Amino acid sequence: MRFIKATVLYIFALLPSKRRSETLTSRKAQRKSLKLIEAYNTNFEGFLHLLKTSKEGLTTEEAERRLDEFGLNEIAHEKAPSWYIELVRAFLNPFIGVLVAIGIVSLITDVYIAQPEEESWKTIIIISLMIVVSGLIRFWQEFKSNVAAEKLKEMITTSATVLRKNNITPFEVPITDLVPGDIVKLTAGDMIPADMCLFSSKDLFVSQALLTGESNPVEKSETFEQPKEETQNLFDYPQVCMMGTSVVSGIGSGAIIATGSNTYLGSIAKSLSKKRSLTTFDKGISSVVWLLIYFMIAMVPIVFLLNGITKHNWIEALLFAISVAVGLTPEMLPTIVTANLAKGAIAMSRRKTIVKRLNAIQNFGAMNVLCTDKTGTLTQNKIILLYYLDAYGEENYERVLKFGYLNSYYQTALKNLLDVAIIDFGIENQMASVTGAYEKIDEIPFDFERRRLSVVLKDKKGKHNIICKGAPEEILTISTHYEDQGKSKPITKKVIQEASDLVRKLNEEGFRVIAIAHKTVEAEERPYTFRDESNLTLVGYMAFLDPPKESVKEAIESLRNNGVTVKIITGDNEVVTRKICKEVGLQVENVIVGSDIEKLSDKELAHIAEGTTIFAKISPLQKSRIVQALQSLGNTVGFLGDGINDAPALRDADVGISVDTAVDIARESADIILLDKDLMVLEEGIIEGRKTFGNIIKYIKMTTSSNFGNVFSVLVASAFLPFLPMLPLQILLQNMLYDMSQTSIPWDNVDKEYLSVPRKWDASGIARFMIFIGPISSIFDIVTFIVMWNVFLANTVEHQALFQTGWFVVGLLTQTLVVHMIRTKKIPFLQSIASMPVILMTSLIAFIGLILPYTSLGPQVGLIPLPGMYYIWLIGIVLSYCTLTQLVKVWYIRRFHQWL
């Protein structure tokens, strides 16, 4: 009894208040709770009184008040910032920082120290416009992406069943709206929505693997007692259910004592939320950014010194060096990546695929192995009971149907499709009335070691009947007798062999088979355990049919053509699974069962798993082992599951995939939710994931190669020119226009050939691409320097504006056109055409670059009209640039067998 008040006081000590701004860590919280457990003693009514609630629950008004007081029931996690914070952040980047610095210098030189007749605000106004345009473009892209991501998250919600005084019956509410004092009802498959204390339960078994790492479920009850052994963990108490755990079987009700960040899981999450592990994709993006930053750190000081020494204007040299640094900084990379991922997630949602975690899109596209269950994926998920047989295989043995119906009807675990089929068939055949002759006493829940479930029922004579159903081979091992025309006979080796042959024959015909057994014992007031499942009498068998889906054959073929290998991981036996695979066109290379996997080391399992198609009679932990074994071989593994037992594998897979009808724990563990459990839907999502990844890689390779080439161009120009090759403001303007042209990349087309193969992050490929492709632009920049110097005689300080304008136009056009050259390994415009947004945006930017010198804005940024002959030469230089790039592309593809 001491526990209750102790726990309540412990929880209230953690709840937010005006005097408390910090939350205790989980270890401190547990120490405090254990001291309170030892110090206080109370009864259950006192417990409810301290929570200011009752068994009927809170009123709606009180629940709303507490929601305002304690906040939403959600643990610490990354949230999209408010729009005004995003707006401010959009203006906090190196590009705008340098513009501000140049604006301040211009304010000083053009206004404060200038002569009255020379005072000018034009440059400052232009810089201000560039700041506003750049910041708003970035803000709009990221704001749209975050809004889209939040809308997708709202499509997948988890609810809990609560009691409220205003409602006669329990009803569903989002778990985020739960508050301390709410009364919650639990059933199999539910996530425990908050820390709570039970006041009623029946055969309630909870998986605490998320908190303890222990795979076996723990029984929870309203027995207010200390744990049998001394403990330092609150979740060891039998009456406590902690947020983040899940119900495996049984039912229960309890009062919530803590929500959100004040739960045990929440206190852990606070410390972990700041240390989210980076995916391969995150690390790859970071490596690209740092690579460019290293170039910048190495080259910018050299640029500064060269220009300072040769031009003797150190302030101008400093501004130019800083502008070059900004030009080398991929400041739009986060925006482009986020926009790509959000656009991909929205496109996938239209294909009945909801992305919970945006970065999972990359792994989705890279996935080359898909592990999935048979039921509902290969089959129609419409199981029907066709036969109920005696031990000899004679049909329509009514006692089999009776005992099977009683077992499925009275069990409190999550009713699977077999249970639903038995109950539906039983009702159609007038079995509903038999339940009136029995009263449930106890239940021995299903687990994946025993592979059976039993209920204990009291009949009208007062005796207890243990009715067990499960895998035939498991039932046979605990049965000593069998029924023959209602008479009990000892089981012999011959009977066992005949039973095995019967089951195998049914399996080969595609039937799933379970066995039914029972025994009658004298009534005892005690809990029943698996040890009571012995000396049973085999009653007979039930045979079920789950036909394959018509669309599966086409879907498996499509996945195979797209480089994805399908592997079946099932709890069913290998014979049924093999037959279904044959019917849907899935070629079976090898089969292994769970009992054989137990004997293998991780290394041995990895060796066998690669060439195995069917994993049969598999336990939840073995599912995780199989996933990890496949990952150890360098595969990107997706796991599709919707059951309680799939949660560990969903977490361990590179891409956890579930369905919207899955149990809570499966949906919470998944990265991606399918609105239809269909491999065709999955295949469409994979293609969309590859499109998203492809467009991200396009931008990264364009940016790295362009920036790499610019480094050499600037070094050459700085060393040999008596003036700056381009004004700082011109560099920033060119950079802004180029970035604007890239904002259309998320909407670009991707070649079908690229989509047909899984795509992984390859940092070495990016570095190689940058080194080979980047210098092409430098060649044409240097050619431009020579032509402008010798042909157009822009070789003095007085004619520097002509030189700078000529390089500005060439640089902008080649950077814009390279989008079309790099986006495909084919010949652009002829064999592969960009999407309309990309064509329009790049054309617009190229047009702006061409006409800018002739506008009133041109002189304000140092651009002047160019001679007519320049444009004839410009056509030649652009065509030459495209031709050389295409030739290098062809050579590169032949040499390295890849492009993007």
Side-chain angles (χ1 to χ4, degrees), residues 867-887:
M869 285 296 297
Y870 171 86
Y871 292 99
I872 297 175
W873 171 82
L874 179 63
I875 293 172
I877 199 78
V878 168
L879 290 176
S880 300
Y881 172 75
C882 292
T883 302
L884 181 59
T885 302
Q886 185 63 32
L887 291 173

Side-chain angles (χ1 to χ4, degrees), residues 118-183:
E118 297 178 351
E119 184 178 309
S120 174
W121 288 85
K122 292 181 180 179
T123 303
I124 299 168
I125 292 171
I126 292 171
I127 291 173
S128 299
L129 287 172
M130 290 176 65
I131 290 173
V132 171
V133 170
S134 176
L136 289 180
I137 288 174
R138 182 167 182 163
F139 163 72
W140 183 241
Q141 285 279 11
E142 296 196 358
F143 179 72
K144 282 199 306 180
S145 299
N146 286 331
V147 168
E150 290 301 313
K151 284 183 177 178
L152 290 175
K153 289 178 183 177
E154 291 172 3
M155 295 177 71
I156 302 297
T157 59
T158 305
S159 60
T161 305
V162 301
L163 284 171
R164 294 268 169 85
K165 284 185 178 179
N166 310 64
N167 294 77
I168 300 174
T169 58
F171 64 101
E172 300 284 317
V173 299
I175 61 170
T176 53
D177 292 346
L178 295 176
V179 296
D182 259 333
I183 304 302

Side-chain angles (χ1 to χ4, degrees), residues 285-318:
I285 294 290
S286 179
S287 68
V288 170
V289 172
W290 280 107
L291 181 64
L292 293 174
I293 288 175
Y294 291 146
F295 269 115
M296 180 183 71
I297 292 173
M299 297 301 178
V300 168
I302 298 175
V303 170
F304 169 63
L305 291 174
L306 282 174
N307 283 286
I309 292 170
T310 58
K311 283 75 171 176
H312 308 294
N313 187 333
W314 290 96
I315 293 178
E316 192 176 59
L318 177 62

Side-chain angles (χ1 to χ4, degrees), residues 43-49 51-59 161-170 181-185 197-201 222 224 252-256:
N43 56 33
F44 181 68
E45 294 303 324
F47 162 69
L48 293 177
H49 178 72
L51 277 176
K52 297 180 181 177
T53 188
S54 68
K55 285 187 176 182
E56 292 75 35
L58 304 169
T59 64
T161 305
V162 301
L163 284 171
R164 294 268 169 85
K165 284 185 178 179
N166 310 64
N167 294 77
I168 300 174
T169 58
D182 259 333
I183 304 302
V184 175
K185 299 180 77 67
C197 187
L198 298 170
F199 59 75
S200 71
S201 66
E222 69 277 14
F224 300 109
S253 298
I256 291 179

Side-chain angles (χ1 to χ4, degrees), residues 370-379 383 451 473 503-513 544-549 552 556 566-594 612-618 623 626:
L370 172 65
C371 298
T372 179
D373 191 7
K374 168 178 64 66
T375 305
T377 307
L378 303 185
T379 62
I383 293 180
R451 299 176 63 228
E473 59 271 28
V503 171
R504 174 168 285 276
K505 180 182 177 183
L506 289 168
N507 289 159
E508 288 173 348
E509 293 175 2
F511 290 98
R512 296 179 64 179
V513 182
F544 305 83
L545 188 64
D546 187 10
K549 289 180 177 177
V552 169
I556 289 176
V566 178
K567 296 181 183 292
I568 306 301
I569 303 180
T570 179
D572 208 344
N573 69 66
E574 67 275 22
V575 180
V576 174
T577 308
R578 187 188 287 270
K579 184 174 189 304
I580 293 294
C581 288
K582 183 179 179 181
E583 290 181 359
V584 299
L586 181 59
Q587 186 176 352
V588 178
E589 296 181 6
N590 187 36
V591 179
I592 188 170
V593 296
T612 299
T613 305
I614 297 175
F615 302 84
K617 295 183 180 178
I618 300 299
K623 291 182 180 182
I626 293 166

